[in-house]
Amino acid sequence: MKTLFKNIKELIQVRTEPVLFVAGNDMKTLPTIKNAYLLVENGLISDFGSMANCPPISNAKIIDASGKMILPAWCDSHTHIVYAGNREGEFVDRINGLSYEEIANRGGGILNTAKKLQETSEEDLYQQSKVRLKEIMQLGTGAVEIKSGYGLTLEAELKMLRVIKRLKENFPIEIKATFLGAHAIPSNFKNNKQGYLELLVNEVLPIISTEKLADFIDIFCEKGYFTVEDTEYILAAGKQYGLIPKIHVNQFNSIGGVQAGVKYQALSVDHLEVMTNEDIEILKATLTMPVALPSCSYFLSIPYTPARKMIAAGLPLALASDYNPGSTPSGNMNFVVATACIKMKITPEEAINAATINGAYAMGLEHEVGSISKGKIANLLLTKTIPSYGFIPYSFGNSQIEKVFLKGIEI
Ligand code: NIG
Ligand code: FE
């Protein structure tokens, strides 16, 4: 099956040389081809170039993209879209003055969602989560990472991971799974955190490994949740089972979690709302991707990741949604890109690099998605008629996407 996109006003994020990710000053560069064609064959990008060099192609479905642009679908490397119910009540509590931490300390927050998830059947959880997956696909996400972490018991964590596996089998979007058993300390282990960590390591991890239920291991390294020591314990155990570290760090406090991530060669360190000079320094010249979650900052009214300072230090940056019921009930990557430009003062070029190729890297998918390159999966966004790609973040809150193609097929 062939599809030829012709007369594309601008083909965005064209990479002819393979890149792992882009960092520092290079993030300002977004390679494009104006007045381009793009050929998709059997779900993969097979050719592209300037219209002047478009070869005659037979038996292809032709799509005329005059006035429109094509870019790689968004790569959302951090979500928690498998959950049950919602936390609208806590949203109103926060409007009325309670903080996210105060709500968590009263037994709300993650424990609230965990209770609901434990009571929800696997089938119901799948049905609820499927709706959100379809929603983000429509919004232009073509690859997504999904975490467990709202189970907090052996059974419920496995239930979440099995739902992720089923989503992966049934939808054309690329999915990576993360085991985040250490997301919060469940109430029955309130005075025995070590006991909970040992349950995760000695009982849950072996099953995850046998059933191949996860690619990554994650932990919420934060005051009131898990310490740096706990983080090292969990990351080391995960690595023994072949899971690659990816951690929640520096959301509210800088307690040394970034250093632990680097020490255990984490693929990414995520959140980073609070970053010291030492945190930035330690990430230099590593292969660990810093991931910012600006819609979480927006929803909780907490600081934004200091992206300008990090990019000036030569670091790369990825953008992700953090879609979850508590801190970010939205998986709209168009909003994430716009908010990063508006609030973190990064340019449209930097934001698009962060939400495509760098997001792909943060999921270990940089050879499959995240750029317009021959052989990559044809996960594409066809825009409406727009004057420039900068119009996508500029027109924040509006959708400039006309069509989404995953594996070359319009969804
Ligand atoms: O990434 N910070 C930790 N975990 C999630 C939020 C969890 C929740 O509130 O349900 C996050 O923001
Ligand atoms: Fe998160």
Side-chain angles (χ1 to χ4, degrees):
M1 221 195 87
K2 290 187 205 173
T3 308
L4 176 66
F5 295 88
K6 288 174 67 174
N7 305 316
I8 306 162
K9 178 171 171 160
E10 197 162 358
L11 183 60
I12 297 157
Q13 187 62 301
V14 173
R15 302 278 173 177
T16 46
E17 295 299 317
V19 277
L20 286 179
F21 57 80
V22 287
N25 241 337
D26 291 344
M27 287 194 68
K28 279 199 193 79
T29 307
L30 183 66
T32 72
I33 302 175
K34 288 192 171 141
N35 194 21
Y37 73 92
L38 172 70
L39 182 64
V40 171
E41 280 183 88
N42 302 322
L44 302 178
I45 296 171
S46 68
D47 196 15
F48 56 86
S50 162
M51 265 318 277
N53 303 322
C54 184
I57 289 155
S58 53
N59 308 325
K61 178 181 176 196
I62 310 282
I63 297 180
D64 187 351
S66 296
K68 300 166 187 175
M69 306 200 175
I70 289 183
L71 63 153
W74 304 126
C75 298
D76 188 351
S77 67
H78 182 140
T79 81
H80 311 245
I81 64 169
V82 169
Y83 62 80
N86 64 64
R87 303 229 295 272
E88 270 184 80
E90 293 181 9
F91 171 56
V92 177
D93 290 342
R94 281 196 303 104
I95 292 170
N96 288 326
L98 283 181
S99 73
Y100 181 77
E101 275 159 303
E102 282 164 343
I103 291 167
N105 292 339
R106 298 199 316 183
I110 297 168
L111 296 185
N112 181 349
T113 298
K115 184 166 181 289
K116 188 150 290 149
L117 191 140
Q118 288 160 9
E119 293 160 355
T120 303
S121 71
E122 189 167 317
E123 178 60 27
D124 189 5
L125 185 62
Y126 175 77
Q127 294 303 335
Q128 292 189 40
S129 306
K130 185 175 98 172
V131 174
R132 286 183 285 270
L133 189 70
K134 285 186 179 174
E135 177 193 26
I136 64 166
M137 287 162 58
Q138 293 293 346
L139 289 164
T141 297
V144 65
E145 179 260 17
I146 311 173
K147 299 175 196 293
S148 72
Y150 288 122
L152 309 183
T153 64
L154 178 135
E155 297 76 23
E157 282 295 308
L158 293 175
K159 176 163 70 184
M160 289 188 79
L161 291 167
R162 288 180 184 133
V163 166
I164 300 173
K165 189 174 181 184
R166 200 170 147 199
L167 292 170
K168 193 170 165 163
E169 288 160 359
N170 290 310
F171 289 89
I173 181 170
E174 299 304 300
I175 296 180
K176 290 279 189 173
T178 299
F179 175 46
L180 174 59
H183 195 192
I185 302 153
S187 19
N188 53 329
F189 282 94
K190 202 174 167 197
N191 300 312
N192 181 18
K193 185 180 65 177
Q194 190 55 30
Y196 180 59
L197 291 172
E198 281 167 18
L199 168 83
L200 297 178
V201 168
N202 300 329
E203 295 182 44
V204 191
L205 263 177
I207 302 178
I208 291 175
S209 169
T210 311
E211 294 189 27
K212 296 191 173 37
L213 289 173
D215 306 288
F216 306 119
I217 180 104
D218 197 344
I219 180 165
F220 187 16
C221 180
E222 183 58 62
K223 281 187 190 164
Y225 294 84
F226 296 97
T227 64
V228 173
E229 199 188 353
D230 300 335
T231 302
E232 296 207 7
Y233 175 67
I234 285 290
L235 299 190
K239 282 185 90 161
Q240 284 200 328
Y241 285 98
L243 304 185
I244 300 165
K246 254 173 107 51
I247 49 181
H248 280 73
V249 275
N250 292 40
Q251 183 176 5
F252 301 106
N253 299 282
S254 169
I255 59 170
V258 174
Q259 285 73 2
V262 169
K263 181 170 168 194
Y264 285 84
Q265 291 149 318
L267 182 60
S268 72
V269 283
D270 303 32
H271 269 289
L272 314 179
E273 287 88 342
V274 177
M275 287 292 274
T276 64
N277 292 338
E278 291 71 36
D279 294 325
I280 293 177
E281 205 53 39
I282 194 87
L283 283 166
K284 284 186 183 169
T286 70
L287 290 172
T288 298
M289 177 64 67
V291 180
L293 310 167
S295 35
C296 173
S297 298
Y298 176 84
F299 190 71
L300 294 186
S301 302
I302 61 174
Y304 287 85
T305 301
R308 279 269 58 93
K309 203 171 160 187
M310 292 161 65
I311 294 172
L315 299 185
L317 184 79
L319 290 169
S321 74
D322 199 18
Y323 197 173
N324 75 73
S327 72
T328 324
S330 162
N332 188 342
M333 284 295 286
N334 305 288
F335 180 80
V336 169
V337 168
T339 306
C341 293
I342 298 161
K343 296 292 184 184
M344 290 162 47
K345 306 282 180 217
I346 69 174
T347 65
E349 290 80 8
E350 290 170 324
I352 293 173
N353 275 322
T356 56
I357 188 68
N358 285 2
Y361 176 84
M363 290 183 272
L365 286 173
E366 70 277 11
H367 299 300
E368 283 80 18
V369 293
S371 67
I372 304 294
S373 307
K374 284 185 195 173
K376 279 198 173 178
I377 300 169
N379 287 354
L380 309 166
L381 307 182
L382 175 68
T383 69
K384 296 176 182 167
T385 299
I386 52 173
S388 70
Y389 57 73
F391 200 77
I392 300 170
Y394 164 79
S395 61
F396 79 97
N398 295 333
S399 171
Q400 299 305 337
I401 298 173
E402 186 173 278
K403 285 178 180 162
V404 177
F405 297 83
L406 297 185
K407 296 190 163 67
I409 296 172
E410 186 185 339
I411 57 150

